[in-house]
Amino acid sequence: MKLYLLRHAEAVPREDSIPDCDRALTSDGMETMKTVALGMRALKIKVDLVLTSPLVRARQTAEIAAVALGVKSKITLTKNLAPDADPESFIAELALKHCSIKNILLVGHEPHLGRLASVLLTGTTDLPVIFKKGGLMALKLDSKPCKQGATLKWFLTPRQMRLHK
């Protein structure tokens, strides 16, 4: 199984009047994500399923990527990719519901994606990875998803993704 971990692009700032779950991408964030998605397509990334946090900014990011990759109809929301979710709950969901799928794009937030990558790579959250907004990581899992069961294939910033579009 290949997992692609993608952090959402720039969102509108936090304000008291807008609940965090409703914060959308900015126009710059949309443009950055379109560029990142073109880079994903240029890298010939294949995706069979897109799992995304239910928060608006992550859903918008997932939709932009899914359109570029030709998988718009394969987006599924999961609370296990929300910012405060437990990485081990997501790993359990992945093993239980999606272990037969070969290529999955995960769209989420910091610090969750960094903690999830750390658990998949090292078995602990003690060495979190820091994702830039629009950053993309590729992991390979040789067996059923589990702690410390992944190999890092590559990790690209949005600037590096622009070079591939």
Side-chain angles (χ1 to χ4, degrees), residues 33-89:
M33 203 54 244
K34 287 175 185 173
T35 301
V36 167
L38 290 175
M40 293 170 72
R41 187 166 62 197
L43 289 169
K44 297 184 173 34
I45 291 174
K46 302 278 188 241
V47 172
D48 304 307
L49 174 66
V50 178
L51 296 174
T52 184
S53 158
L55 279 65
V56 170
R57 58 194 179 273
R59 289 194 334 248
Q60 289 174 314
T61 297
E63 288 169 3
I64 292 167
V67 166
L69 298 173
V71 293
K72 176 86 166 105
S73 65
K74 297 182 180 182
I75 298 174
T76 301
L77 305 180
T78 175
K79 65 181 180 179
N80 287 320
L81 285 173
D84 58 351
D86 175 22
E88 293 190 33
S89 295

Side-chain angles (χ1 to χ4, degrees), residues 78-115:
T78 175
K79 65 181 180 179
N80 287 320
L81 285 173
D84 58 351
D86 175 22
E88 293 190 33
S89 295
F90 178 76
I91 294 169
E93 175 186 337
L94 196 61
L96 196 69
K97 294 182 180 180
H98 310 293
C99 66
S100 64
I101 299 172
K102 292 185 179 182
N103 303 292
I104 304 175
L105 174 63
L106 312 177
V107 182
H109 315 266
E110 273 295 287
H112 181 263
L113 282 181
R115 291 193 322 256

Side-chain angles (χ1 to χ4, degrees), residues 8-21:
H8 67 80
E10 180 185 353
V12 297
R14 293 177 190 260
E15 295 178 11
D16 292 337
S17 62
I18 302 173
D20 186 51
C21 63

